[in-house]
Amino acid sequence: MKNPPALSINQVVTVYLLPPPQLSPYQTPSKLSFRLRPSPSPGCSSAGMHTDHYTQEMAENVDRISDLIDPILVLVLSSLPSKHAVRTSVLSKRWRHLWAEIPYLDFEESLFIDNQIPPPPCITSLPWLMHVRNEGRRRFVAFVHRMLLLYKGKTIFRFRLRFCYDGEHVNNITQWIGFAIAKQVQELDLDFSGAGLAQDSRTGYRRYELPNYLFCYTSCSVLKLNFCQFKPFSFKIFSLLRMLSLIRIELSSELLLRVLTNCSVLETLHLEKCHGLSHLKISDSNLRLESLRIHDCRPLSQGVDICAPKLRSFKYFGHIVRFGPEKMLSLHEVSLDFGLQTLLYDQDQKLGKLLLHLDHVRVMSVCSYLIQVLPAEGQCLPTPLCNLRHLTLNTMLDNHELPGISFLLRSSPKLQSLSIELGLGREIKGYNPPRMDMSLVGGDYWQSEEQPFGCILNHLEFVRINWFTGAENEISLARYIVKNAMALKKMIIHICQDSTLDEINSMTSRLSREILDCPKASPDTSVTYV
């Protein structure tokens, strides 16, 4: 076993202490910082530390790590992958067995595979990579088996496994999961996708079939599954679940409904790349669901219907589908990203009606597709988004998107914060925005507005622009805001990091000339770029 990397004297070490098992898994971790100091000489007394032979600097040279009690050190080790936590056993006798009590076990196969090792001259690259992978897998399986054999902890709070399942080592995996359950694991995170490689059938990876006894377990509060065969014969495991994440799972609408029916205390649901869902329906008024994320689930041919009275956050990424949400007054944050849609959808006119159901939302993020098609609804929403305080625009700031940006700003009269994420747009093939004079671009377009939007005039206080490239439309919008926002306190412009040094110098020069030095509606406005 190799020695862990050495820490230098006076290096400041910061670790985040995760909550102990008896506390909520959603509790914010505490932060602990300490500075490494050389210990005084063995024969030196504490009184001698204050003599003329020792300076004040030496008086402060204390080994802060050794001063920590064992439970704190165990929490420090819990923030590391298990492979690195075990490596600390070589530091001293005191550290030799601390790793065996950490309540957070994190096993990741990729840490045991070094693809950077060059092959010998007589072996081609592909067979060598297979050899390296198989050797790394052998070491990984042996490591997990030995660590669990020597483990002394009474309970496991979180058990995380990242393993490229190819049909082998079934007994090992089953034993590992059984060990975690026997230790009353509260958070179980199983990923057999091989860091996404499982999407490619040529790799030979396949979905791991979860053992039946897993679904009879009743003490799990967080369950995360990736690339598994999800066929529960019992629903006891869902009785105390607060968080459920299913990724790359074959999931039918009927099965999802049965799962949700048995998740009486579920607070967070994450569905990603779950194929087989024709209809996603959540309509249990007793459900405690607070956060729902849907990412590229297909086909959803019958749409998405949501009625969750306690829902606070809803995030959607995928194709355009039919949405049938009921007004949920508790909903605070919404993100709509139709980034997979490249063609016009025959029900685009219903997207404006979707926003009408979200008029009580305070935080909203919208994609380029939504920005482009909204102007078909008119100049603004018939019922403005009066509660909206923060808006994020994912856009290229293309000419086709300018009317949609105007539409959203006009429909958000009390907006206080605006974030513009540049470069995240997508052109819709064959689409021409209505009522737009294509000769008006950049500054000409914004000057054509009869009067500034109400939110910019009276309420907008903060603007952030990310991945700024210095394009004309970017400069024009930033200048328009600065010249008209009477309540603006701060604008932060993050310059694109992919730019060359000459491009950055050119952008900063233009920013100073056209934005920093332009007349400002508010004398308190601060414009900075980083």
Side-chain angles (χ1 to χ4, degrees), residues 24 54 173 212 232 248 304 317 331 360 434 448 485 511:
S24 167
Y54 297 94
I173 299 173
N212 287 335
R248 297 185 183 93
V304 176
F317 174 85
L331 195 59
H360 50 286
S448 69
L511 279 172

Short mmCIF file of all heavy atoms in Angstrom, two decimals, residues 24 54 173 212 232 248 304 317 331 360 434 448 485 511:
data_model
loop_
_atom_site.label_atom_id
_atom_site.label_comp_id
_atom_site.label_asym_id
_atom_site.label_seq_id
_atom_site.Cartn_x
_atom_site.Cartn_y
_atom_site.Cartn_z
N SER A 24 -30.41 14.35 10.80
CA SER A 24 -30.98 14.31 9.45
C SER A 24 -29.88 14.27 8.40
O SER A 24 -28.89 14.98 8.51
CB SER A 24 -31.85 15.55 9.22
OG SER A 24 -32.17 15.69 7.86
N TYR A 54 12.92 29.89 22.60
CA TYR A 54 11.80 29.62 21.69
C TYR A 54 11.08 30.93 21.38
O TYR A 54 10.74 31.69 22.29
CB TYR A 54 10.80 28.63 22.31
CG TYR A 54 11.43 27.27 22.55
CD1 TYR A 54 11.98 26.96 23.79
CD2 TYR A 54 11.48 26.34 21.53
CE1 TYR A 54 12.57 25.73 24.01
CE2 TYR A 54 12.07 25.11 21.75
CZ TYR A 54 12.61 24.80 22.97
OH TYR A 54 13.19 23.60 23.18
N ILE A 173 -21.40 -8.69 -4.67
CA ILE A 173 -22.27 -7.52 -4.57
C ILE A 173 -23.41 -7.78 -3.61
O ILE A 173 -23.77 -6.94 -2.78
CB ILE A 173 -22.79 -7.13 -5.96
CG1 ILE A 173 -21.63 -6.76 -6.89
CG2 ILE A 173 -23.77 -5.96 -5.86
CD1 ILE A 173 -22.05 -6.52 -8.33
N ASN A 212 -34.01 -9.63 -3.53
CA ASN A 212 -35.37 -9.43 -3.00
C ASN A 212 -35.37 -8.91 -1.57
O ASN A 212 -36.25 -8.12 -1.19
CB ASN A 212 -36.15 -10.75 -3.07
CG ASN A 212 -36.54 -11.12 -4.50
OD1 ASN A 212 -36.67 -10.24 -5.35
ND2 ASN A 212 -36.72 -12.40 -4.76
N PRO A 232 -39.50 -4.51 -7.57
CA PRO A 232 -39.80 -4.82 -6.16
C PRO A 232 -40.98 -5.76 -6.03
O PRO A 232 -42.04 -5.55 -6.64
CB PRO A 232 -40.11 -3.44 -5.57
CG PRO A 232 -40.53 -2.61 -6.74
CD PRO A 232 -39.77 -3.11 -7.91
N ARG A 248 -31.52 5.59 -15.06
CA ARG A 248 -31.36 4.51 -16.05
C ARG A 248 -32.08 3.25 -15.58
O ARG A 248 -31.53 2.14 -15.60
CB ARG A 248 -29.87 4.22 -16.31
CG ARG A 248 -29.12 5.39 -16.92
CD ARG A 248 -27.70 4.98 -17.27
NE ARG A 248 -26.95 6.11 -17.80
CZ ARG A 248 -26.19 6.91 -17.06
NH1 ARG A 248 -26.08 6.69 -15.75
NH2 ARG A 248 -25.54 7.93 -17.59
N VAL A 304 -47.41 14.81 -18.29
CA VAL A 304 -47.06 14.90 -16.88
C VAL A 304 -48.18 15.61 -16.15
O VAL A 304 -48.55 16.74 -16.50
CB VAL A 304 -45.73 15.68 -16.68
CG1 VAL A 304 -45.43 15.85 -15.20
CG2 VAL A 304 -44.58 14.97 -17.39
N PHE A 317 -36.25 18.48 -17.51
CA PHE A 317 -35.38 18.53 -18.69
C PHE A 317 -35.81 17.41 -19.62
O PHE A 317 -35.90 16.24 -19.22
CB PHE A 317 -33.92 18.35 -18.30
CG PHE A 317 -32.99 18.24 -19.49
CD1 PHE A 317 -32.51 19.38 -20.11
CD2 PHE A 317 -32.63 17.00 -20.00
CE1 PHE A 317 -31.68 19.29 -21.22
CE2 PHE A 317 -31.80 16.89 -21.10
CZ PHE A 317 -31.32 18.05 -21.71
N LEU A 331 -45.42 25.92 -4.30
CA LEU A 331 -44.32 25.82 -5.27
C LEU A 331 -43.51 27.11 -5.27
O LEU A 331 -44.03 28.21 -5.50
CB LEU A 331 -44.88 25.54 -6.66
CG LEU A 331 -43.89 25.06 -7.71
CD1 LEU A 331 -43.21 23.77 -7.27
CD2 LEU A 331 -44.58 24.85 -9.06
N HIS A 360 -47.38 32.04 -8.94
CA HIS A 360 -47.00 32.24 -7.55
C HIS A 360 -45.54 31.86 -7.29
O HIS A 360 -45.05 32.00 -6.17
CB HIS A 360 -47.91 31.40 -6.64
CG HIS A 360 -48.00 29.97 -7.09
ND1 HIS A 360 -48.73 29.59 -8.19
CD2 HIS A 360 -47.44 28.84 -6.61
CE1 HIS A 360 -48.63 28.29 -8.36
NE2 HIS A 360 -47.84 27.81 -7.43
N PRO A 434 -42.72 35.84 -34.18
CA PRO A 434 -43.74 36.74 -34.68
C PRO A 434 -43.44 38.19 -34.33
O PRO A 434 -42.79 38.48 -33.34
CB PRO A 434 -45.01 36.26 -33.97
CG PRO A 434 -44.50 35.65 -32.71
CD PRO A 434 -43.17 35.04 -33.05
N SER A 448 -35.86 50.17 -29.57
CA SER A 448 -37.19 50.19 -30.18
C SER A 448 -38.30 49.99 -29.16
O SER A 448 -39.47 50.23 -29.47
CB SER A 448 -37.28 49.11 -31.26
OG SER A 448 -37.27 47.80 -30.68
N ALA A 485 -32.10 50.74 -15.22
CA ALA A 485 -32.46 50.11 -13.94
C ALA A 485 -32.19 51.08 -12.80
O ALA A 485 -31.05 51.24 -12.36
CB ALA A 485 -31.67 48.82 -13.75
N LEU A 511 -15.82 46.52 -22.39
CA LEU A 511 -16.69 46.63 -21.22
C LEU A 511 -16.50 47.96 -20.52
O LEU A 511 -17.48 48.63 -20.14
CB LEU A 511 -16.40 45.48 -20.26
CG LEU A 511 -17.03 44.12 -20.57
CD1 LEU A 511 -16.48 43.06 -19.64
CD2 LEU A 511 -18.53 44.20 -20.44
#
